Amino acid sequence: MRFRRHGLHLLPFDPMEPTMHAYPPDGQRRLITVFTLAGAFMTQLDATIANVALPHMQASTAASSEQITWVLTSYIITTAIFTPLSGWLASRFGRKRLYVASVAAFTVASMLCGVAGNFEQLVLFRILQGIGGAALLPMSQAILLDINPPHRHGSAMATWGFGVIIGPICGPLLGGWLTAAFNWRWVFFINLPCGLIVVLGLLAFLPAFEDENAPELDLPGFLMLATAIGAFQLMLDRGQLLDWFESREIWFEALLAATAFYMFVVHTLTTERPFVNLSIFRDRNFAVGSVFGFFLGGLMYSVMALTAPMLADLMHYPAVLVGMAMAPRGVGTLIMMPIVGHLMSRSDPRVLIVVGMVVCGLSTAMMSGFSLQMDAWAVELAGFVQGVGAAFLFVPVTTVIFATIPPHLRNQGTAMNSLIRALGGSVWISAMQSLTIRNAASVQSRLVESARPDNPAMALHWPDFDFSSAQAMIGLNGEVFRQAMMVSYTDSFWLLYVISFALAPMVVLLRFRRT
């Protein structure tokens, strides 16, 4: 067996491992980590930073309220479509070339988004931005795994997880401030200095990774998978707007996604060199961990997707205050990520996962007690607790997923894991938003039945209410709607609490092997 030197220790050398012949020195490793995470942070930040600026973009580009949502949809769908291709591209052209080119393309596309003169240009440049950023998240994970020895993978994934989680949390806060202080174009211009520094840093410090065995691209397989992902994402994004399967468009997108996915599975099982190497799913940790990622990513992002409109629509928080009320979630993650990374080398990660599930469950239980009379402190405390739980979940799950997967499958493994986690977030966000809206309609109908003159509760709370006044009835209808939406939000949080505890027993399916 051949060996490579690491400090004073000799480590076995795996000829299939796509890494350098030696791990980089500590100083260089830290710089690589900083520049790599900065690239991943940019693409995660841009998934949410434009949300609060949509009304300003709509006014500037003369787009309708339905059209302007394509600024978000185009980016999300394009990123999802091209994420699985990043594994093959890294194997074919080298991970360093791919990562540097992706950061550069993402930065240029961001500049083009900022100078877009009309709605069509803005959507086109957002598509280019999604293509450029698709590889950054999975390849940043692969790079951090490869530049760190196995006993440091827990700490490496803690650092990577912080960059992944903190981006979507900072997005609304930073986007609101930039829009208020300057204008909406600065939510894209902010990427320019960061992107330039990242490209220069990566060129200077990131070593060239040896190419793996890269077969010819299975173009039919990629096109089938891309069609399935694109149609599915489009269905999820537009489903609630078009009343789901009451719309012919949603039926078409659902049938297209199902047909394309079926053809992709058949093609993958019958072709000699498929686009997706199914052997990665034969690894039990990767398969179970990916299921965990599908649910956990959705649980985290769906809570954020519910909390932001609740604060903005029901409690009339401005965009900046919404971001500030949700910021403690990132603080909890920031505090606990290094601690959990340290515990990874001393504890069974399955125990940490259970702790994370319990803490996240408790946070959603706290959210189920929200009311229209609460102050921001209740939201901040619940968010902080969830941030702590997220750290206990994200680090062990991402570490365990790649603990047993062969190194030569790492590029494709990180790409597929990122895709599954992103799809989980989309599915859960769409599902929870749809359930919340439909439940609110049901609750509102029950509340309306009680809003009548002979109800003693009405006489007690509004003794002078005039049922013959149109203005008073409009005000009553608005208040009934607010109350119904609040009840529906708390019901949704309670459902997430139940799901959190229901998922905990899945940890027994994970294998633990201390390195």
Side-chain angles (χ1 to χ4, degrees), residues 133-148:
L136 297 182
L137 191 63
M139 290 304 104
S140 64
Q141 186 178 25
I143 289 172
L144 261 62
L145 287 170
D146 278 349
I147 65 173
N148 288 276

Side-chain angles (χ1 to χ4, degrees), residues 300-325:
M300 298 300 147
Y301 294 133
S302 61
V303 168
M304 295 171 58
L306 292 176
T307 304
M310 180 190 71
L311 296 176
D313 299 337
L314 301 187
M315 302 180 184
H316 310 296
Y317 280 36
V320 175
L321 290 184
V322 171
M324 293 179 64

Side-chain angles (χ1 to χ4, degrees), residues 99-390:
Y99 203 82
V100 172
S102 295
V103 174
F106 183 86
T107 304
V108 171
S110 297
M111 181 186 67
L112 293 175
C113 288
V115 300
N118 55 50
F119 169 73
E120 290 76 14
Q121 290 180 3
L122 182 57
V123 172
L124 173 61
F125 297 147
R126 282 286 276 178
I127 291 174
L128 297 178
Q129 197 181 32
I131 295 174
L136 297 182
L137 191 63
M139 290 304 104
S140 64
Q141 186 178 25
I143 289 172
L144 261 62
L145 287 170
D146 278 349
I147 65 173
N148 288 276
H151 67 275
R152 291 186 177 177
H153 280 182
S155 299
M157 289 301 96
T159 306
W160 180 80
F162 173 73
V164 170
I165 291 178
I166 205 67
I169 295 174
C170 291
L173 180 61
L174 183 59
W177 177 77
L178 288 172
T179 304
F182 303 99
N183 58 57
W184 65 266
R185 299 182 186 276
W186 280 91
V187 303
F188 301 113
F189 288 151
I190 193 67
N191 290 326
L192 299 184
C194 183
L196 179 60
I197 293 173
V198 170
V199 168
L200 295 177
L202 291 173
L203 289 174
F205 299 106
L206 183 63
F209 296 85
E210 297 176 6
D211 290 350
E212 302 177 23
N213 298 321
E216 292 297 320
L217 175 64
D218 176 21
L219 186 59
F222 167 68
L223 293 177
M224 294 173 195
L225 182 60
T227 302
I229 294 171
F232 186 64
Q233 283 278 14
L234 196 58
M235 180 191 75
L236 292 174
D237 191 76
R238 295 178 56 79
Q240 183 58 43
L241 178 67
L242 300 178
D243 198 20
W244 292 103
F245 290 100
E246 297 298 322
S247 166
R248 291 183 179 179
E249 178 187 328
I250 298 302
W251 272 108
F252 173 76
E253 290 159 358
L255 291 174
L256 179 61
T259 302
F261 184 72
Y262 172 77
M263 294 173 63
F264 168 75
V265 171
V266 173
H267 174 80
T268 300
L269 294 175
T270 55
T271 191
E272 182 179 353
R273 295 181 180 275
F275 177 67
V276 176
N277 191 335
L278 294 180
S279 63
I280 62 176
F281 293 101
R282 297 192 186 104
D283 184 279
R284 188 169 72 184
N285 272 16
F286 183 85
V288 176
S290 295
V291 174
F292 251 117
F294 180 87
F295 283 100
L296 298 181
L299 288 174
M300 298 300 147
Y301 294 133
S302 61
V303 168
M304 295 171 58
L306 292 176
T307 304
M310 180 190 71
L311 296 176
D313 299 337
L314 301 187
M315 302 180 184
H316 310 296
Y317 280 36
V320 175
L321 290 184
V322 171
M324 293 179 64
M326 298 177 66
R329 179 179 282 101
V331 175
T333 303
L334 173 64
I335 293 173
M336 291 307 301
M337 277 289 191
I339 298 175
V340 177
H342 179 71
L343 291 175
M344 280 294 298
S345 61
R346 301 171 178 269
S347 307
D348 187 331
R350 293 171 295 187
V351 175
L352 300 179
I353 293 173
V354 172
V355 171
M357 296 299 297
V358 171
V359 174
C360 284
L362 291 177
S363 72
T364 49
M366 296 168 64
M367 295 175 191
S368 67
F370 284 173
S371 70
L372 292 172
Q373 289 73 42
M374 69 178 180
D375 56 20
W377 169 248
V379 179
E380 293 165 355
L381 179 59
F384 178 84
V385 173
Q386 189 184 50
V388 171

Side-chain angles (χ1 to χ4, degrees), residues 450-465:
S450 302
R452 59 183 190 270
D454 61 340
N455 186 344
M458 285 289 298
L460 177 64
H461 291 283
W462 290 301
D464 300 324
F465 188 83

Side-chain angles (χ1 to χ4, degrees), residues 16-162:
M16 297 296 291
E17 186 175 0
T19 62
M20 305 73 64
H21 288 290
Y23 295 111
D26 288 344
Q28 182 182 358
R29 181 167 57 240
R30 294 189 188 99
L31 290 172
I32 294 172
T33 300
V34 169
F35 291 122
T36 301
L37 284 182
F41 177 81
M42 285 196 304
T43 184
Q44 289 298 95
L45 184 73
D46 268 54
T48 58
I49 193 173
N51 294 35
V52 296
L54 285 183
H56 301 269
M57 296 180 191
Q58 181 180 351
S60 178
T61 59
S64 67
S65 57
E66 180 177 346
Q67 285 178 322
I68 200 63
T69 59
W70 281 97
V71 173
L72 305 178
T73 303
S74 58
Y75 179 81
I76 294 172
I77 292 177
T78 308
T79 302
I81 289 174
F82 283 88
T83 293
L85 185 63
S86 61
W88 181 85
L89 290 173
S91 299
R92 177 66 178 83
F93 299 103
R95 199 180 297 153
K96 178 176 180 177
R97 295 189 188 95
L98 173 63
Y99 203 82
V100 172
S102 295
V103 174
F106 183 86
T107 304
V108 171
S110 297
M111 181 186 67
L112 293 175
C113 288
V115 300
N118 55 50
F119 169 73
E120 290 76 14
Q121 290 180 3
L122 182 57
V123 172
L124 173 61
F125 297 147
R126 282 286 276 178
I127 291 174
L128 297 178
Q129 197 181 32
I131 295 174
L136 297 182
L137 191 63
M139 290 304 104
S140 64
Q141 186 178 25
I143 289 172
L144 261 62
L145 287 170
D146 278 349
I147 65 173
N148 288 276
H151 67 275
R152 291 186 177 177
H153 280 182
S155 299
M157 289 301 96
T159 306
W160 180 80
F162 173 73

